[in-house]
PDB file of all heavy atoms in Angstrom:
ATOM      1  N   THR V 116      -5.668  29.605   0.807  1.00  0.00           N
ATOM      2  CA  THR V 116      -5.869  28.869   2.066  1.00  0.00           C
ATOM      3  C   THR V 116      -6.678  27.579   1.801  1.00  0.00           C
ATOM      4  O   THR V 116      -7.742  27.629   1.127  1.00  0.00           O
ATOM      5  CB  THR V 116      -6.669  29.756   3.075  1.00  0.00           C
ATOM      6  OG1 THR V 116      -5.844  30.828   3.423  1.00  0.00           O
ATOM      7  CG2 THR V 116      -7.048  28.933   4.329  1.00  0.00           C
ATOM      8  N   ALA V 117      -6.069  26.445   2.177  1.00  0.00           N
ATOM      9  CA  ALA V 117      -6.690  25.141   1.893  1.00  0.00           C
ATOM     10  C   ALA V 117      -5.826  24.101   2.587  1.00  0.00           C
ATOM     11  O   ALA V 117      -4.747  24.377   3.030  1.00  0.00           O
ATOM     12  CB  ALA V 117      -6.746  24.906   0.406  1.00  0.00           C
ATOM     13  N   VAL V 118      -6.378  22.875   2.495  1.00  0.00           N
ATOM     14  CA  VAL V 118      -5.494  21.698   2.853  1.00  0.00           C
ATOM     15  C   VAL V 118      -4.991  21.216   1.528  1.00  0.00           C
ATOM     16  O   VAL V 118      -5.710  21.046   0.584  1.00  0.00           O
ATOM     17  CB  VAL V 118      -6.376  20.582   3.511  1.00  0.00           C
ATOM     18  CG1 VAL V 118      -5.445  19.408   3.842  1.00  0.00           C
ATOM     19  CG2 VAL V 118      -6.988  21.107   4.832  1.00  0.00           C
ATOM     20  N   TYR V 119      -3.688  21.011   1.507  1.00  0.00           N
ATOM     21  CA  TYR V 119      -2.963  20.549   0.291  1.00  0.00           C
ATOM     22  C   TYR V 119      -2.586  19.108   0.358  1.00  0.00           C
ATOM     23  O   TYR V 119      -2.099  18.624   1.403  1.00  0.00           O
ATOM     24  CB  TYR V 119      -1.729  21.424   0.049  1.00  0.00           C
ATOM     25  CG  TYR V 119      -2.039  22.859  -0.470  1.00  0.00           C
ATOM     26  CD1 TYR V 119      -2.669  23.777   0.393  1.00  0.00           C
ATOM     27  CD2 TYR V 119      -1.784  23.209  -1.799  1.00  0.00           C
ATOM     28  CE1 TYR V 119      -2.965  25.037  -0.066  1.00  0.00           C
ATOM     29  CE2 TYR V 119      -2.098  24.460  -2.243  1.00  0.00           C
ATOM     30  CZ  TYR V 119      -2.675  25.369  -1.399  1.00  0.00           C
ATOM     31  OH  TYR V 119      -2.989  26.631  -1.877  1.00  0.00           O
ATOM     32  N   TYR V 120      -2.821  18.404  -0.736  1.00  0.00           N
ATOM     33  CA  TYR V 120      -2.581  17.006  -0.823  1.00  0.00           C
ATOM     34  C   TYR V 120      -1.704  16.698  -2.058  1.00  0.00           C
ATOM     35  O   TYR V 120      -1.830  17.408  -3.069  1.00  0.00           O
ATOM     36  CB  TYR V 120      -3.862  16.177  -0.979  1.00  0.00           C
ATOM     37  CG  TYR V 120      -4.918  16.412   0.078  1.00  0.00           C
ATOM     38  CD1 TYR V 120      -5.765  17.446   0.054  1.00  0.00           C
ATOM     39  CD2 TYR V 120      -4.981  15.571   1.188  1.00  0.00           C
ATOM     40  CE1 TYR V 120      -6.780  17.707   1.028  1.00  0.00           C
ATOM     41  CE2 TYR V 120      -5.950  15.721   2.172  1.00  0.00           C
ATOM     42  CZ  TYR V 120      -6.840  16.817   2.058  1.00  0.00           C
ATOM     43  OH  TYR V 120      -7.779  16.965   3.063  1.00  0.00           O
ATOM     44  N   CYS V 121      -0.972  15.600  -1.986  1.00  0.00           N
ATOM     45  CA  CYS V 121      -0.391  15.075  -3.187  1.00  0.00           C
ATOM     46  C   CYS V 121      -0.976  13.755  -3.555  1.00  0.00           C
ATOM     47  O   CYS V 121      -1.535  13.008  -2.726  1.00  0.00           O
ATOM     48  CB  CYS V 121       1.135  14.975  -3.086  1.00  0.00           C
ATOM     49  SG  CYS V 121       1.695  13.694  -1.968  1.00  0.00           S
ATOM     50  N   ASN V 122      -0.915  13.417  -4.858  1.00  0.00           N
ATOM     51  CA  ASN V 122      -1.354  12.091  -5.307  1.00  0.00           C
ATOM     52  C   ASN V 122      -0.941  11.980  -6.708  1.00  0.00           C
ATOM     53  O   ASN V 122      -0.405  12.917  -7.321  1.00  0.00           O
ATOM     54  CB  ASN V 122      -2.912  11.982  -5.226  1.00  0.00           C
ATOM     55  CG  ASN V 122      -3.396  10.575  -4.970  1.00  0.00           C
ATOM     56  OD1 ASN V 122      -2.930   9.675  -5.624  1.00  0.00           O
ATOM     57  ND2 ASN V 122      -4.299  10.403  -4.015  1.00  0.00           N
ATOM     58  N   THR V 123      -1.174  10.815  -7.336  1.00  0.00           N
ATOM     59  CA  THR V 123      -0.899  10.707  -8.772  1.00  0.00           C
ATOM     60  C   THR V 123      -1.941  11.496  -9.543  1.00  0.00           C
ATOM     61  O   THR V 123      -2.988  11.925  -8.996  1.00  0.00           O
ATOM     62  CB  THR V 123      -0.958   9.233  -9.169  1.00  0.00           C
ATOM     63  OG1 THR V 123      -2.266   8.725  -8.785  1.00  0.00           O
ATOM     64  CG2 THR V 123       0.101   8.412  -8.540  1.00  0.00           C
ATOM     65  N   PHE V 124      -1.664  11.725 -10.806  1.00  0.00           N
ATOM     66  CA  PHE V 124      -2.596  12.393 -11.695  1.00  0.00           C
ATOM     67  C   PHE V 124      -2.765  11.555 -12.920  1.00  0.00           C
ATOM     68  O   PHE V 124      -1.746  11.328 -13.624  1.00  0.00           O
ATOM     69  CB  PHE V 124      -2.189  13.778 -12.029  1.00  0.00           C
ATOM     70  CG  PHE V 124      -3.050  14.455 -13.071  1.00  0.00           C
ATOM     71  CD1 PHE V 124      -4.360  14.862 -12.769  1.00  0.00           C
ATOM     72  CD2 PHE V 124      -2.644  14.598 -14.397  1.00  0.00           C
ATOM     73  CE1 PHE V 124      -5.178  15.401 -13.694  1.00  0.00           C
ATOM     74  CE2 PHE V 124      -3.481  15.220 -15.345  1.00  0.00           C
ATOM     75  CZ  PHE V 124      -4.761  15.589 -14.975  1.00  0.00           C
ATOM     76  N   PRO V 125      -3.908  10.981 -13.152  1.00  0.00           N
ATOM     77  CA  PRO V 125      -5.135  11.065 -12.300  1.00  0.00           C
ATOM     78  C   PRO V 125      -4.974  10.377 -10.965  1.00  0.00           C
ATOM     79  O   PRO V 125      -3.969   9.569 -10.774  1.00  0.00           O
ATOM     80  CB  PRO V 125      -6.196  10.365 -13.170  1.00  0.00           C
ATOM     81  CG  PRO V 125      -5.540   9.634 -14.209  1.00  0.00           C
ATOM     82  CD  PRO V 125      -4.171  10.183 -14.373  1.00  0.00           C
ATOM     83  N   VAL V 126      -5.871  10.545 -10.057  1.00  0.00           N
ATOM     84  CA  VAL V 126      -5.747  10.061  -8.688  1.00  0.00           C
ATOM     85  C   VAL V 126      -5.827   8.493  -8.711  1.00  0.00           C
ATOM     86  O   VAL V 126      -6.758   7.908  -9.352  1.00  0.00           O
ATOM     87  CB  VAL V 126      -6.863  10.592  -7.763  1.00  0.00           C
ATOM     88  CG1 VAL V 126      -6.868   9.910  -6.441  1.00  0.00           C
ATOM     89  CG2 VAL V 126      -6.701  12.108  -7.679  1.00  0.00           C
ATOM     90  N   TRP V 127      -4.879   7.908  -8.022  1.00  0.00           N
ATOM     91  CA  TRP V 127      -4.861   6.452  -7.967  1.00  0.00           C
ATOM     92  C   TRP V 127      -4.807   5.978  -6.540  1.00  0.00           C
ATOM     93  O   TRP V 127      -5.427   4.959  -6.164  1.00  0.00           O
ATOM     94  CB  TRP V 127      -3.660   5.915  -8.715  1.00  0.00           C
ATOM     95  CG  TRP V 127      -3.612   4.433  -8.776  1.00  0.00           C
ATOM     96  CD1 TRP V 127      -2.745   3.622  -8.139  1.00  0.00           C
ATOM     97  CD2 TRP V 127      -4.458   3.557  -9.574  1.00  0.00           C
ATOM     98  NE1 TRP V 127      -3.028   2.255  -8.410  1.00  0.00           N
ATOM     99  CE2 TRP V 127      -4.021   2.225  -9.251  1.00  0.00           C
ATOM    100  CE3 TRP V 127      -5.538   3.738 -10.379  1.00  0.00           C
ATOM    101  CZ2 TRP V 127      -4.651   1.112  -9.820  1.00  0.00           C
ATOM    102  CZ3 TRP V 127      -6.146   2.650 -10.967  1.00  0.00           C
ATOM    103  CH2 TRP V 127      -5.724   1.370 -10.728  1.00  0.00           C
ATOM    104  N   TYR V 128      -4.058   6.593  -5.683  1.00  0.00           N
ATOM    105  CA  TYR V 128      -3.771   6.143  -4.328  1.00  0.00           C
ATOM    106  C   TYR V 128      -4.807   6.777  -3.314  1.00  0.00           C
ATOM    107  O   TYR V 128      -5.424   7.795  -3.626  1.00  0.00           O
ATOM    108  CB  TYR V 128      -2.336   6.428  -3.929  1.00  0.00           C
ATOM    109  CG  TYR V 128      -1.335   5.733  -4.771  1.00  0.00           C
ATOM    110  CD1 TYR V 128      -0.338   6.427  -5.418  1.00  0.00           C
ATOM    111  CD2 TYR V 128      -1.369   4.348  -4.979  1.00  0.00           C
ATOM    112  CE1 TYR V 128       0.591   5.793  -6.221  1.00  0.00           C
ATOM    113  CE2 TYR V 128      -0.409   3.693  -5.771  1.00  0.00           C
ATOM    114  CZ  TYR V 128       0.531   4.398  -6.381  1.00  0.00           C
ATOM    115  OH  TYR V 128       1.461   3.816  -7.188  1.00  0.00           O
ATOM    116  N   GLN V 129      -4.816   6.134  -2.119  1.00  0.00           N
ATOM    117  CA  GLN V 129      -5.577   6.682  -1.050  1.00  0.00           C
ATOM    118  C   GLN V 129      -5.016   7.998  -0.611  1.00  0.00           C
ATOM    119  O   GLN V 129      -3.742   8.116  -0.579  1.00  0.00           O
ATOM    120  CB  GLN V 129      -5.589   5.705   0.101  1.00  0.00           C
ATOM    121  CG  GLN V 129      -6.521   6.074   1.225  1.00  0.00           C
ATOM    122  CD  GLN V 129      -6.603   4.994   2.313  1.00  0.00           C
ATOM    123  OE1 GLN V 129      -6.057   3.914   2.116  1.00  0.00           O
ATOM    124  NE2 GLN V 129      -7.352   5.291   3.362  1.00  0.00           N
ATOM    125  N   TRP V 130      -5.825   8.975  -0.332  1.00  0.00           N
ATOM    126  CA  TRP V 130      -5.378  10.255   0.093  1.00  0.00           C
ATOM    127  C   TRP V 130      -4.634  10.216   1.396  1.00  0.00           C
ATOM    128  O   TRP V 130      -4.996   9.464   2.317  1.00  0.00           O
ATOM    129  CB  TRP V 130      -6.501  11.267   0.173  1.00  0.00           C
ATOM    130  CG  TRP V 130      -7.204  11.554  -1.087  1.00  0.00           C
ATOM    131  CD1 TRP V 130      -8.353  11.018  -1.521  1.00  0.00           C
ATOM    132  CD2 TRP V 130      -6.752  12.461  -2.103  1.00  0.00           C
ATOM    133  NE1 TRP V 130      -8.647  11.559  -2.807  1.00  0.00           N
ATOM    134  CE2 TRP V 130      -7.691  12.423  -3.174  1.00  0.00           C
ATOM    135  CE3 TRP V 130      -5.590  13.253  -2.261  1.00  0.00           C
ATOM    136  CZ2 TRP V 130      -7.505  13.198  -4.277  1.00  0.00           C
ATOM    137  CZ3 TRP V 130      -5.484  13.993  -3.403  1.00  0.00           C
ATOM    138  CH2 TRP V 130      -6.419  13.966  -4.425  1.00  0.00           C
ATOM    139  N   GLY V 131      -3.594  10.990   1.545  1.00  0.00           N
ATOM    140  CA  GLY V 131      -2.967  11.180   2.824  1.00  0.00           C
ATOM    141  C   GLY V 131      -3.698  12.211   3.660  1.00  0.00           C
ATOM    142  O   GLY V 131      -4.796  12.600   3.336  1.00  0.00           O
ATOM    143  N   GLN V 132      -3.067  12.615   4.747  1.00  0.00           N
ATOM    144  CA  GLN V 132      -3.737  13.575   5.673  1.00  0.00           C
ATOM    145  C   GLN V 132      -3.697  15.015   5.163  1.00  0.00           C
ATOM    146  O   GLN V 132      -4.484  15.832   5.592  1.00  0.00           O
ATOM    147  CB  GLN V 132      -3.080  13.456   7.058  1.00  0.00           C
ATOM    148  CG  GLN V 132      -3.355  12.190   7.739  1.00  0.00           C
ATOM    149  CD  GLN V 132      -2.844  12.171   9.203  1.00  0.00           C
ATOM    150  OE1 GLN V 132      -1.885  12.822   9.493  1.00  0.00           O
ATOM    151  NE2 GLN V 132      -3.520  11.430  10.042  1.00  0.00           N
ATOM    152  N   GLY V 133      -2.817  15.286   4.261  1.00  0.00           N
ATOM    153  CA  GLY V 133      -2.704  16.654   3.758  1.00  0.00           C
ATOM    154  C   GLY V 133      -1.940  17.545   4.733  1.00  0.00           C
ATOM    155  O   GLY V 133      -1.605  17.127   5.818  1.00  0.00           O
TER     156      GLY V 133
END
Side-chain angles (χ1 to χ4, degrees):
T116 295
V118 179
Y119 284 71
Y120 304 86
C121 68
N122 210 315
T123 55
F124 174 71
V126 174
W127 183 252
Y128 298 124
Q129 185 173 358
W130 295 100
Q132 292 187 328

